[in-house]
Amino acid sequence: MKPKTAVAGILAVVVALATLSTAQSARAQDWFKTGTGLGVSKARLAVPDDAARTTAAQPLAKTFHDVLWADLEYSGIIDMVSPSFYPLSVPSQPSELNGQAWAAAPANAYMVAYGNLTADASGLAFAGYLSDVHNPSAPPALQKIYRASATDADARKLAHEFADDIVALLSGGQPGIAQTQITYVSARNGNKEIWVMDYDGANQHQVTHLRSISLTPRWSPDATRIAFTCYVPYRGITSAQICIYSMPLGRLTAFPRFRGTNSSPAWSPDGSQIAFMSSENGDPEIYVANTDGSHMHRITFAAGVNTSPTWNPKTGQQMVFVSDRGGVPVLYLSNSDGSNVQKLDLPDMGYVIDPAWSPNGQLLAFSWQRPSGNYDIYVMDIVTKQLVELTRDEGRNERPSWAPDGRHLTFESTRTGTRQIWTMLADGSEPRQLTFEGQSESPNWSPK
Amino acid sequence: MTVGITSSVPAIPLPHPEVETPSRVVDNTDGLFKSEPMPLPKPDLEAVPIPKFEKEKKKPPKITSRPSKLLENPTPPPPNAVPYGNGGRPTVPVSASTFTMGNTGATSAGLIAGGAGQGDFGSRFSWYVEAVQRRVSSNWIQSAIDPNVGYAPRVTVTFTILRNGSVTNVQITQSSNVPSVDTSAVRAVEASSPLQPLPPAYSGSNVNVEFYFDYHR
């Protein structure tokens, strides 16, 4: 009896162990190992022409490909393979992809983005694919059908969507910026009004029609509203006030008027508060209020002008602003409740204005007029106080604003003779002019 | 010789100075012009001895700049060498025939991988692996590392990517013993969450990652 039980017990243990080990191996997962230490490599991507399946799609295919190419090239993370290196046969769907030909010299591509366009009465459809050429048997990294109406504007939109999907895949989930917008001030129609355009300068359109002066537009964190400085007469008195424009409503939303001059609004990262300069109590100081104007309270207490607040978008716990309390306008860092103010020391004299905090909270862009020159854009590492000069000897370059990917900046520059909006990569390379008409200034990149 | 304003009064004998110091202003021992020292004989330029002919020895080449260490080391890596991050393409398990050590479970570090998964994630979805590498690398903020540290041994961080791309279970499996480097590595991983969702073609629910950081200033 007893030995039998013992044997049964052992058996049970063995069975249990076997079950356990099976469970263990079933739980075991796929893994991979990678690392860093020698910098970040760019993905080498080939983007052949996209096949137009119908004749109506042919003119749109050209627009589509041009926009897609420009988006990917400017993304900052992709190394584009020159079209002259492409194999002769271009795929329009995964079954036609000859991975060997693309992987081999001279193309040496790592991935290929391709697809086909169909335009008919129902609209425009783009079947887009992104394939790893070293692994043609694996399913494409991206296969998606994009639909819109068959217009040139929508072909652009589809290209931006496809580009953003590719950038997100190749950068490990960080969204691209091809569908972002830039708001700015332009006086090309007579008055300084708020305008909005796509990040590549397309689709420029006027947003406000206040027929006065509108300045310093700032996108809300959800990119649905724009806060700006407006000069709207009220009971015969015109003074600088904070206005908020709602994009979905297409009109201004309520924000109370305050005494004195009110300007340079900035949104808190959660979108619930606005910091701005107000001379309500005489001295221009920084105040914080809810987006409906309630609970307004003062956070700076220093003689002189305190203006241009900007929140740390990552934490919302800190703020940088401009103050001339020490004689000339320079940047100060404080907690968002105004405590613990410290001057951001720079290795030279001069005016320092227009602070803009990068999306990861790590870098601060600003414009600085050193005694030896003109206003130029600089970027400072908040922790180490290391400086990089991004523009030099090309007119006045001011008012930087970060793209949500933290890889691009928009700014205003007078390098062509007139004040216009430009963008560049955050290392100062690849400057691109977006506006050409009249004078444009004070750009702000939408956070999404 | 004595000089004094009272020397014209002979009745008062003045004491001599105890020590006669020679005047430093007037040197009356030599003439007005000092004689120049005799010039050294000019070296006879023609008398350079002809060096004795010797068989020329090859001098070692003068190294002006340090060449890359890769070029310096001519020994090829043994075929069974474990690839040690050169920043290139990621190391991936070639097949599912990897071994299991102990029963440490799925998240153990190093070469250990369970066999039940498809085991070829890295080779099937190398674009995903590179995207993860790109994202984490770009989020590695090295400016927060102690400036006195010039080099740190490799830090290895393991984590799990869930299907929706969120990163969990971040832990240091091999410390560099430099706290600020370890912290920056963990922060780089955590700042990258959420990553791109796992590829739709991948059937598993999550993927374990072993990510190393080599720091040198």
Side-chain angles (χ1 to χ4, degrees):
Chain A
M1 187 70 189
K2 272 203 170 171
K4 247 187 184 175
T5 321
V7 167
I10 288 165
L11 265 176
V13 166
V14 166
V15 168
L17 272 178
T19 320
L20 198 69
S21 72
T22 317
Q24 193 116 52
S25 54
R27 233 188 301 127
Q29 290 299 325
D30 278 315
W31 67 280
F32 63 84
K33 177 179 177 177
T34 183
T36 184
L38 295 178
V40 188
S41 62
K42 288 183 176 180
R44 194 164 160 81
L45 178 68
V47 188
D49 283 333
D50 302 290
R53 286 282 162 84
T54 57
T55 47
Q58 264 162 10
L60 300 175
K62 166 103 177 65
T63 307
F64 182 90
H65 186 259
D66 289 350
V67 172
L68 177 63
W69 183 278
D71 285 349
L72 295 173
E73 190 177 37
Y74 203 44
S75 69
I77 58 153
I78 293 171
D79 180 14
M80 303 291 279
V81 182
S82 167
S84 54
F85 293 159
Y86 291 172
L88 289 175
S89 72
V90 164
S92 66
Q93 56 190 33
S95 59
E96 296 167 16
L97 177 67
N98 177 3
Q100 286 288 327
W102 292 90
N108 293 324
Y110 167 60
M111 300 199 93
V112 186
Y114 54 99
N116 57 75
L117 275 162
T118 318
D120 52 26
S122 65
L124 178 67
F126 173 69
Y129 307 96
L130 178 69
S131 289
D132 183 352
V133 295
H134 296 285
N135 220 345
S137 59
L142 173 67
Q143 48 182 340
K144 194 168 164 183
I145 294 178
Y146 303 79
R147 289 180 196 282
S149 60
T151 61
D152 209 52
D154 274 17
R156 295 187 70 88
K157 204 169 132 253
L158 289 193
H160 286 325
E161 282 179 37
F162 188 44
D164 270 354
D165 284 344
I166 293 172
V167 168
L169 279 172
L170 295 181
S171 69
Q174 191 172 43
I177 54 162
Q179 296 175 80
T180 57
Q181 293 182 303
I182 292 172
T183 180
Y184 60 103
V185 173
S186 178
R188 70 185 70 166
N189 291 350
N191 296 105
K192 283 197 174 180
E193 301 278 6
I194 306 300
W195 287 60
V196 167
M197 62 183 165
D198 292 353
Y199 94 106
D200 57 0
N203 190 21
Q204 304 189 3
H205 58 281
Q206 187 174 344
V207 167
T208 64
H209 300 271
L210 300 176
R211 292 172 209 285
S212 62
I213 304 170
S214 301
L215 302 167
T216 65
R218 294 285 184 274
W219 288 102
S220 65
D222 58 359
T224 59
R225 287 166 291 172
I226 299 173
F228 59 101
T229 310
C230 56
Y231 288 77
V232 183
Y234 180 73
R235 291 184 182 171
I237 304 164
T238 302
S239 63
Q241 296 292 339
I242 306 299
C243 284
I244 299 179
Y245 185 90
S246 165
M247 299 298 281
L249 296 178
R251 61 172 172 79
L252 293 180
T253 61
F255 193 83
R257 297 174 64 88
F258 297 106
R259 278 193 296 145
T261 300
N262 304 274
S263 68
S264 66
W267 296 83
S268 67
D270 61 358
S272 68
Q273 290 180 307
I274 291 182
F276 58 100
M277 185 206 85
S278 175
S279 62
E280 193 189 42
N281 291 327
D283 211 30
E285 299 282 350
I286 292 170
Y287 289 76
V288 172
N290 291 349
T291 50
D292 60 358
S294 62
H295 293 291
M296 178 168 159
H297 57 280
R298 181 173 165 180
I299 62 161
T300 59
F301 298 87
V305 177
N306 299 278
T307 186
S308 303
T310 172
W311 252 288
N312 181 336
K314 188 77 179 173
T315 65
Q317 300 298 308
Q318 283 179 307
M319 215 180 245
V320 166
F321 57 93
V322 177
S323 175
D324 65 355
R325 61 187 69 181
V328 290
V330 288
L331 303 183
Y332 289 82
L333 175 71
S334 78
N335 292 349
S336 54
D337 60 358
S339 62
N340 193 20
V341 179
Q342 31 184 310
K343 189 180 164 201
L344 286 174
D345 283 315
L346 294 175
D348 200 356
M349 319 271 282
Y351 285 26
V352 190
I353 53 172
D354 310 330
W357 217 312
S358 73
N360 67 0
Q362 184 67 22
L363 302 168
L364 193 69
F366 53 86
S367 37
W368 183 14
Q369 186 183 31
R370 299 175 84 143
S372 57
N374 226 328
Y375 276 104
D376 275 309
I377 311 281
Y378 287 76
V379 167
M380 179 169 72
D381 186 312
I382 286 278
V383 178
T384 60
K385 307 285 189 287
Q386 233 173 354
L387 275 177
V388 182
E389 183 179 14
L390 300 188
T391 62
R392 192 181 193 112
D393 292 341
E394 288 181 306
R396 282 174 72 130
N397 300 284
E398 291 171 85
R399 300 204 238 203
S401 168
W402 291 88
D405 66 355
R407 287 191 289 262
H408 299 77
L409 283 164
T410 179
F411 61 104
E412 63 177 61
S413 176
T414 60
R415 62 185 68 177
T416 55
T418 56
R419 193 176 292 265
Q420 300 296 352
I421 310 295
W422 291 66
T423 56
M424 62 181 166
L425 288 178
D427 60 358
S429 64
E430 295 194 43
R432 288 189 179 188
Q433 186 174 359
L434 302 189
T435 62
F436 297 87
E437 279 179 70
Q439 306 263 350
S440 300
E441 61 183 55
S442 194
N444 186 249
W445 209 309
S446 72
K448 55 168 69 169
Chain B
M1 156 174 114
T2 56
V3 180
I5 50 165
T6 54
S7 61
S8 58
V9 187
I12 304 166
L14 287 173
H16 283 275
E18 279 175 14
V19 179
E20 271 203 2
T21 52
S23 165
R24 285 186 188 163
V25 180
V26 180
D27 182 3
N28 50 9
T29 55
D30 291 326
L32 267 179
F33 301 99
K34 292 203 175 189
S35 60
E36 287 180 18
M38 206 168 126
L40 289 167
K42 276 189 183 171
D44 194 353
L45 289 174
E46 312 225 330
V48 177
I50 296 167
K52 207 177 163 190
F53 179 77
E54 281 176 15
K55 215 170 191 184
E56 279 185 24
K57 281 180 188 168
K58 232 182 186 176
K59 279 184 184 172
K62 202 178 171 185
I63 295 167
T64 48
S65 66
R66 188 174 169 75
S68 118
K69 284 195 172 175
L70 282 174
L71 295 172
E72 251 177 35
N73 186 2
T75 28
N80 61 347
V82 177
Y84 187 79
N86 292 324
R89 291 181 76 87
T91 315
V92 294
V94 178
S95 69
S97 63
T98 41
F99 56 91
T100 309
M101 209 196 304
N103 55 356
T104 43
T107 56
S108 55
L111 292 164
I112 307 150
Q118 286 160 310
D120 56 350
F121 183 91
S123 52
R124 282 180 75 211
F125 304 107
S126 65
W127 57 270
Y128 187 89
V129 175
E130 288 202 9
V132 170
Q133 183 199 12
R134 211 169 281 127
R135 179 84 185 277
V136 175
S137 304
S138 68
N139 283 329
W140 189 24
I141 296 161
Q142 302 184 12
S143 61
I145 292 171
D146 183 353
N148 296 323
V149 176
Y151 162 82
R154 172 170 290 194
V155 193
T156 305
V157 177
T158 58
F159 53 94
T160 305
I161 306 173
L162 303 183
R163 174 136 283 284
N164 65 1
S166 58
V167 172
T168 62
N169 204 10
V170 182
Q171 43 190 304
I172 296 178
T173 46
Q174 183 196 321
S175 167
S176 67
N177 295 321
V178 182
S180 57
V181 175
D182 287 3
T183 312
S184 74
V186 172
R187 281 190 180 153
V189 173
E190 284 174 347
S192 307
S193 178
L195 288 157
Q196 184 72 17
L198 293 178
Y202 175 65
S203 57
S205 62
N206 57 15
V207 170
N208 297 318
V209 184
E210 194 183 317
F211 202 103
Y212 61 80
F213 296 80
D214 288 331
Y215 177 70
H216 42 84
R217 196 171 284 277

